[in-house]
């Protein structure tokens, strides 16, 4: 696979599939970043960091990036793969809860904990 260096920030990072000649096989091709090229990243590494750095051209807050990376490290060290999937799903649902029902997941969870302290008989059984 040919490695390309993106010197011009204005250069298209993700190729436009509609412009590709039908005779060209694009299977296995993926976008590459300058850092990915320099670090000799595998396709999996590049895709993983593409997702983490999805808004890298508009992102000026390194703290947000650092927090996201720390969260990923914590999840991988702490949870099994199926639990990570469940947590990610709940995080998306928490976002939906906020946007559709005007409720905050953290506040609702705290309400649940307070209720269980007062009514321990109503706690869900963990199997």
């Amino acid at each position: 696979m040919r490695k390309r260096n993106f010197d011009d920030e204005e250069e298209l990072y993700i190729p436009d599939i509609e412009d590709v000649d039908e005779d060209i096989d694009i299977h296995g091709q993926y976008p590459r970043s300058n850092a990915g090229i320099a670090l000799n990243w595998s396709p999996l590494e590049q895709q993983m960091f593409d997702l983490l750095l999805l808004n890298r051209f508009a992102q000026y807050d390194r703290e947000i990036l650092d927090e996201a990376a720390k969260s990923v490290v914590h999840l991988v060290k702490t949870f099994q793969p199926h639990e990570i999937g469940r947590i990610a799903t709940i995080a998306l649902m928490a976002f939906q809860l906020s946007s559709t029902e005007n409720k905050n997941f953290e506040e609702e969870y705290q309400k649940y904990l307070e209720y269980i302290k007062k009514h321990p008989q109503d706690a869900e059984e963990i199997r």
Side-chain angles (χ1 to χ4, degrees):
M1 171 170 289
R2 112 187 124 113
K3 291 184 179 180
R4 225 174 132 198
N5 199 23
F6 297 97
D7 294 323
D8 183 3
E9 202 172 286
E10 297 296 319
E11 188 174 354
L12 188 62
Y13 179 72
I14 298 176
D16 187 352
I17 301 301
E18 293 176 8
D19 290 341
V20 175
D21 186 342
E22 290 180 22
D23 294 335
I24 296 176
D25 180 17
I26 59 169
H27 180 72
Q29 292 185 12
Y30 53 94
R32 299 283 302 207
S33 67
N34 288 339
I37 292 167
L39 296 170
N40 198 28
W41 279 345
S42 70
L44 176 60
E45 288 169 310
Q46 184 66 51
Q47 291 169 6
M48 182 174 62
F49 280 90
D50 282 349
L51 286 171
L52 181 63
L53 305 171
L54 195 58
N55 59 349
R56 69 181 152 274
F57 296 123
Q59 179 58 264
Y60 298 106
D61 188 349
R62 281 286 172 201
E63 286 184 28
I64 293 173
L65 174 63
D66 290 344
E67 288 302 313
K70 287 176 187 175
S71 297
V72 170
V73 169
H74 175 73
L75 284 170
V76 170
K77 285 183 176 180
T78 309
F79 298 99
Q80 296 295 317
H82 68 280
E83 293 171 323
I84 294 171
R86 182 178 48 80
I87 291 167
T89 301
I90 293 167
L92 286 171
M93 293 170 81
F95 178 79
Q96 184 177 2
L97 180 73
S98 173
S99 62
T100 61
E101 298 184 23
N102 264 347
K103 292 183 178 180
N104 180 291
F105 174 78
E106 185 176 9
E107 291 171 3
E108 295 303 315
Y109 179 66
Q110 291 303 322
K111 287 179 191 177
Y112 170 80
L113 291 179
E114 289 300 316
Y115 178 86
I116 293 304
K117 283 180 188 174
K118 295 175 184 172
H119 307 92
Q121 70 279 9
D122 289 341
E124 274 61 282
E125 289 184 26
I126 298 176
R127 300 168 210 252

